[in-house]
Structures are given as C-alpha cells and as structure tokens.
Amino acid sequence: MNTFTTSPTSFMQPNPGTSGMFLTLNSYVLDTVRIILLGSLMEAGRKLFEWLAERFTFRYAVSVEFNQADPTYPWIVQFLTHHQVWRRSKSFQIGAKTSRSRLGVTLSQKDNPLADYIPLYDIPQLFYWKGYWVEVRCDRQEDKFSVVDQPKGRIYLSIFTLDVSIVDMLVKEAKEIYLSASIANVVIHVADSEASLFHPVWNNVKRKARRPLSSVVLREGTMDALLRDVREFLGAEAWYINAGIPYRRGYLLHGPPGTGKSSTIYALAGELGVDIYTLSLGSKFVDDSYLHRAVSGVPSGSIFLIEDIDCCFPSREDEEEEAVRLSRSATNREQYETGIKQPKSQVTLSALLNTIDGVCSEDGVLFFATTNYMDRLDPALLRPGRVDYKLEYFLTSQDQASSLFRRFYPGNAIGNSTSADSEKPAASYDIELLSEKFGAGIPPNQFSTAELQGYLLLHKEHPVVAADGTEIWVQAELAAREGRKERERERRERLMAIYRIDSREREDSGSDQGSASGDSGVVKIEADDKGEALSN
Ligand SMILES: Nc1ncnc2c1ncn2[C@@H]1O[C@H](COP(=O)(O)OP(=O)(O)OP(=O)(O)O)[C@@H](O)[C@H]1O
C-alpha cells in the first residue's frame, strides 16, 4: 500500500534539473542586464563627452561654414590645400576636371593632373595654424529644401579661440593664397543657373588664361587711358568717402561685334588681378530679384560685368518696335528669319538702374557693361554716376590690321616662307613688310578684328600666303556681305508687303467680299514668291 507514497516535503526540495535551468536563466538575465547597463553607461558617457566637446567648442571656438555656392569657398579650399590639410585623407572622389567649381584639390599641383581629387571624409581633422588649433570638417549633404540644382559641398571650420577677428585673418589669408594661386588665370564667376532665394547665385567658376593687355589691338592710347582710369579709381577710396560720393564706377564699352570689348575687360581683369562676376540679362531665370541677389554677392574690388546690356531694352529701339508691330502678321518662321525678337529680358529698367546706382551693390565694385547698340539704351542708364566712362570701339583701321598681323606671327620677324604650295621655292620674308602689305589690303572700317583674326587663323603657319591673299579674301567677303544684305532687304520688303495687306484687310473688314478676295490674291502671290504659305 505504500506504493504511491510521496513525501510532503518533496515539493520543497529543489529539483536539481529545474534549479540548474533557473540558475542558468538567472545568470543570462543578469549578464544581459549588465551588458545593457554597461552599454547604456558607455552611450551616456559618449553622449556626455560629445556634449562637453560641443559645449567646449561652442564656448571656446569660433565656427564658420563655407558653402560651395559662395565665392569664398574656393578661397578656403585653396587655403586648406596650401596648408596640406587634405593630405591625411585616404578617401577621394575623382572627377574629370571641368570648369565647374567643386570641392576639389589636385594632389600634385605641379603635374596638373586631369582630375579633381575630392576628399570624402566627414571626420573632423585638426591642424595647427598661426598658434591656433583649427578643426576642419566637410560634407556633401543633399539640401532637402533646395528646389534647384546647387553645388552641395560645405566646409566647416572651428578655430579654438575666443577672438572672433581671427576668422577675418584666416579668410584674408585664404583670399591672398587663392589670388596668388590663380595669378596665371582670370577667374570668372558666372550666374548661369536658377538659385532659390536662400542660395547664392554665383555657383559656377571658370578660369581663363590671363591675356596680356597688348594682345588686344585697339586704337593708339585707348587701353592706356582705360587702365589709368581704373587704377585711379581703385586708389581713390578715401577721396570718394570724404566727398560723400558712392565708391563705384561704371564703364560702358560699345561698338560693333567682334571689335574687342569683352577681350578688353578680361585682359584688364588679368592685369589688375581681380575676379569677374558676370551674368546675362537675357537668361530666362534672371529677373529683378535674381539681379538684386547677384549684385549683393559681388565682393568689393571685383568687376561686375553685364554683356549685351541692350537686351533689357528691345522696345526702346525704333526698329524693334516696327518689328514687333510686324510680328502681329508674321508667322513664327518669318520672325525667326527676319530676326524679329520678342523682349528678351525679364529685368525691369528700374531694377537695373537701382542695381547700377549701387543701392544694392557693394562699394568698390567696377561695373562694366558692353553693347553693340548704344542708341537702344535708355538715357537714364547713361547718365554720369551710372556710366562714368564710355569707350567706343570701331571696325579695324589699317594700322590695327597691321599690328594684328605682327602679333599673329611673333618670332617670325624675318624668315623663310613655308608656302602651302610645296612646289614653290622657299622665299625669305620680312614680317614688317608683310604686315604693311596686309594692312594696306584691308579697307578701313569695314571689318571687325574678329573677322581678320578668322582669316589669319586660316593661314597661321603661312604669313606670306596670308598677306598675298588679302585682296582676294576682301573681295570675296564684301561680295558675300552684299549678297546677305540683298537677301535681308528682300525679306523685309516681303514682310512689309504682308503687313500692309494685313492692315488694309483689318481696315476693310466690313467691306464687300470682292475687295477682300482681291487682297487675298496678293497675299497668295507673295506666298508663292517665298515658296511657302505666308497668308494669314
Ligand atoms: N581689338 C582686338 N584685338 C585683338 N583681338 C580681338 C580684338 N577684337 C576682337 N578680337 C578677337 O575676336 C574675338 C571676339 O572678340 P570679343 O569677344 O572681345 O569682341 P566683342 O567686341 O566683345 O564682341 P561682341 O560684341 O560680339 O561680344 C576674340 O577671339 C578676340 O581675341
């Protein structure tokens, strides 16, 4: 009967299997808790350290941010390159060299490699500069709020000092290093894309090789006078301030296309070592607000250049008004063929005048504008104070043609003819004589320097051929020009005829059918002449 006896205490006694499991579980839990606690403590410690470091940086460091879309950005890249801060980076993005500014440093400046090496790290680096520790960090984060395509890079510097003026010192040094590094180039900042309200507009940097002033062939004394004027202005800041006159000066270069207006400005910028900031008023995205922001971003001591400034005022020109009237009855194709243009700029005259007045511009900016159509410009734009110096360009004189020739064949003062025709015996030549021959063959005030340059380029190895062929080339060019003029005149006449018919039809809109059909017949004849349906 004792078969099924159970001791009442058997429940109380630990079961070795269960208790082992319980203990193991217990130790797991304890370990986990310990690990969690340790992890939390470490994380808290890290956060605390970060917080303290941040507090320390905040309290004892001056922090600055450089945005890739801002002109100061290349200065700071050059500065960091100069101090070899990027050297420690082991991770790069490589991009083919383009004119576009990017967070790029060439590893070896001597070899001028074909790619930009762009450091990718965002771990802060420390370097020592003039007795200060400076922390540098860069990133290329996407700007989620930007609706337009903007360069994304940023560089952050923290200088461990309480003296804010050290930033000035650093930026000044950065600019000096940048200028001396770009001494062989003219740096051109172009506002050539949309920019949201919160972004700088100068987001494209190009470099052009510096061009000597003497390479621009102008009338005697023209370049010297311009250079003297600009230098005088740059040295007269105190005078302007004392006299209470805004410290700015406007230059308008006007004349036919291809006579050297832009070349003058680029050569001048190279000579003075100043950057050019340029935009086109004809760009779709350039409106009053854009112009205002652009000019506000031009640093003192730079050139602000607007090329073809006349595109702001098409309606002020009589011929254009006539053309717009004509366009009412002309098809799109005719508008295209006859060069009829709709107003090309969204910038209003008052915004442009405000800009030039210096209301929103930096003091010490040299304002340059070019135009092929001086007479289209509003007189308000031309008044002294806005445009202080007007320089007219002309088609080439015979002297200019000769000196262009001499510039074209340097180092060939006397030599042997390298005639294109290998049958001909080589003959010796004198560049001075050839240049005179060339100059004498060019009718004065008929050709632009760009046209002559185009001709000489055809014979860049053959000065004798160039000089000998001048007359034939001139005749051919003048004949081709006559042909173009004739065709243009015919197109205009056709359009005028259509316009007259169009107006008459509108006047006679209430008159009888017979008269209207008579007019339509004339339109048809015009259309047939042109080989296309021109009727309205
Ligand atoms: N006076 C000049 N001396 C030397 N080269 C010139 C001169 N004029 C024009 N050229 C050459 O012709 C080309 C066009 O010149 P540039 O752009 O300076 O003319 P522009 O007057 O500004 O023309 P546009 O009014 O069409 O802008 C350049 O390659 C330049 O080297």
Side-chain angles (χ1 to χ4, degrees):
M1 294 302 290
N2 211 9
T3 49
F4 214 73
T5 50
T6 316
S7 151
T9 56
S10 66
F11 285 112
M12 309 292 286
Q13 284 171 2
N15 178 335
T18 319
S19 70
M21 262 176 64
F22 179 75
L23 281 176
T24 314
L25 201 67
N26 221 3
S27 79
Y28 276 147
V29 171
L30 277 175
D31 283 351
T32 311
V33 169
R34 259 191 229 119
I35 287 169
I36 289 173
L37 272 177
L38 197 67
S40 306
L41 269 175
M42 281 172 68
E43 180 57 18
R46 196 180 64 81
K47 285 256 161 71
L48 183 68
F49 180 77
E50 268 182 19
W51 184 81
L52 284 173
E54 240 174 55
R55 292 297 91 196
F56 180 80
T57 310
F58 182 73
R59 181 78 182 79
Y60 297 106
V62 184
S63 300
V64 234
E65 177 189 319
F66 298 89
N67 189 314
Q68 194 176 358
D70 191 82
T72 52
Y73 188 86
W75 304 354
I76 218 68
V77 169
Q78 203 69 50
F79 171 87
L80 296 171
T81 308
H82 180 82
H83 290 285
Q84 308 202 330
V85 178
W86 300 131
R87 280 274 165 109
R88 283 177 230 148
S89 181
K90 294 280 184 292
S91 141
F92 293 98
Q93 175 189 337
I94 297 193
K97 260 191 156 180
T98 65
S99 56
R100 197 165 258 284
S101 163
R102 46 172 80 214
L103 172 52
V105 282
T106 48
L107 281 183
S108 156
Q109 300 209 317
K110 252 196 245 152
D111 301 342
N112 191 23
L114 293 172
D116 282 341
Y117 291 78
I118 304 162
L120 281 177
Y121 59 73
D122 56 3
I123 302 164
Q125 299 283 320
L126 266 183
F127 68 99
Y128 199 62
W129 169 77
K130 289 196 172 161
Y132 302 94
W133 283 104
V134 184
E135 184 191 82
V136 56
R137 186 166 61 83
C138 67
D139 75 34
R140 304 177 58 75
Q141 276 170 14
E142 295 287 323
D143 184 349
K144 296 187 187 74
F145 302 106
S146 174
V147 284
V148 290
D149 183 26
Q150 283 277 327
K152 307 287 188 316
R154 285 190 186 83
I155 293 177
Y156 305 93
L157 291 188
S158 298
I159 311 168
F160 291 93
T161 172
L162 295 178
D163 184 358
V164 180
S165 68
I166 301 299
V167 177
D168 270 355
M169 215 164 92
L170 188 144
V171 173
K172 193 162 168 256
E173 185 185 311
K175 186 176 181 187
E176 277 162 12
I177 292 171
Y178 169 79
L179 286 180
S180 63
S182 6
I183 208 92
N185 294 303
V186 178
V187 181
I188 305 152
H189 304 260
V190 193
D192 62 357
S193 60
E194 285 181 64
S196 68
L197 273 182
F198 309 104
H199 287 97
V201 301
W202 301 111
N203 52 29
N204 191 358
V205 181
K206 296 178 175 183
R207 286 184 168 74
K208 265 191 178 207
R210 269 177 82 171
R211 175 176 185 159
L213 285 176
S214 58
S215 74
V216 185
V217 183
L218 300 178
R219 297 198 168 183
E220 188 77 29
T222 306
M223 189 62 102
D224 289 344
L226 177 65
L227 184 64
R228 207 177 316 121
D229 188 275
V230 173
R231 282 201 200 282
E232 254 175 50
F233 167 74
L234 290 175
E237 182 171 4
W239 182 87
Y240 274 83
I241 292 169
N242 287 339
I245 300 172
Y247 181 46
R248 51 162 303 283
R249 196 159 173 82
Y251 297 82
L252 179 73
L253 278 43
H254 61 100
T259 46
K261 299 180 290 296
S262 311
S263 306
T264 303
I265 299 167
Y266 291 119
L268 200 65
E271 176 71 21
L272 299 169
V274 299
D275 285 9
I276 296 178
Y277 289 75
T278 182
L279 57 72
S280 164
L281 294 180
S283 305
K284 269 195 236 138
F285 48 83
V286 177
D287 56 11
D288 293 355
S289 141
Y290 190 98
L291 183 66
H292 179 99
R293 281 181 295 136
V295 178
S296 314
V298 178
S300 165
S302 318
I303 287 178
F304 175 51
L305 167 64
I306 299 181
E307 292 205 67
D308 299 324
I309 197 167
D310 52 275
C311 82
C312 211
F313 317 99
S315 60
R316 293 192 168 268
E317 216 272 333
D318 289 344
E319 202 183 88
E320 291 268 341
E321 279 180 6
E322 173 75 349
V324 172
R325 263 193 311 131
L326 275 172
S327 72
R328 277 189 227 145
S329 62
T331 63
N332 286 341
R333 178 148 188 274
E334 287 155 0
Q335 285 182 31
Y336 168 74
E337 282 178 345
T338 50
I340 292 173
K341 310 245 175 24
Q342 300 299 333
K344 285 180 280 180
S345 176
Q346 297 188 52
V347 175
T348 60
L349 176 61
S350 66
L352 183 64
L353 297 182
N354 276 343
T355 300
I356 297 170
D357 276 346
V359 173
C360 53
S361 75
E362 180 90 19
D363 271 355
V365 170
L366 293 159
F367 168 63
F368 274 86
T370 67
T371 180
N372 299 143
Y373 306 99
M374 172 80 156
D375 48 341
R376 279 187 195 169
L377 302 183
D378 194 291
L381 178 74
L382 299 175
R383 78 147 169 75
R386 290 190 178 123
V387 168
D388 307 284
Y389 193 109
K390 298 183 194 86
L391 182 54
E392 185 169 3
Y393 284 69
F394 303 93
L395 294 171
T396 322
S397 67
Q398 294 189 324
D399 281 350
Q400 274 176 284
S402 296
S403 57
L404 185 75
F405 191 94
R406 282 191 295 273
R407 289 209 61 78
F408 222 84
Y409 302 102
N412 272 337
I414 293 175
N416 288 320
S417 154
T418 52
S419 169
D421 185 352
S422 55
E423 301 281 301
K424 282 190 180 172
S428 64
Y429 59 79
D430 179 339
I431 281 293
E432 198 59 40
L433 289 179
L434 289 180
S435 71
E436 277 167 24
K437 183 175 178 181
F438 177 71
I442 300 291
N445 301 321
Q446 289 288 329
F447 291 95
S448 69
T449 321
E451 285 173 303
L452 298 189
Q453 179 180 282
Y455 168 68
L456 293 178
L457 269 175
L458 294 175
H459 308 290
K460 61 178 183 305
E461 306 278 317
H462 310 293
V464 178
V465 180
D468 287 348
T470 313
E471 207 180 317
I472 295 172
W473 176 76
V474 167
Q475 296 310 327
E477 279 298 304
L478 292 179
R481 210 180 268 182
E482 272 311 306
R484 279 197 298 274
K485 265 193 203 157
E486 183 60 21
R487 283 197 295 281
E488 177 63 22
R489 198 182 54 74
E490 283 171 13
R491 264 203 300 269
R492 288 231 160 242
E493 272 175 11
R494 271 203 298 270
L495 270 174
M496 288 304 289
I498 293 167
Y499 176 67
R500 276 195 296 272
I501 292 162
D502 187 42
S503 317
R504 214 181 319 144
E505 273 186 351
R506 256 181 268 129
E507 279 168 23
D508 298 348
S509 58
S511 68
D512 64 24
Q513 188 65 30
S515 155
S517 67
D519 284 345
S520 299
V522 183
V523 176
K524 187 123 197 348
I525 291 165
E526 294 292 336
D528 286 351
D529 272 357
K530 206 161 185 246
E532 288 186 28
L534 294 182
S535 66
N536 41 9

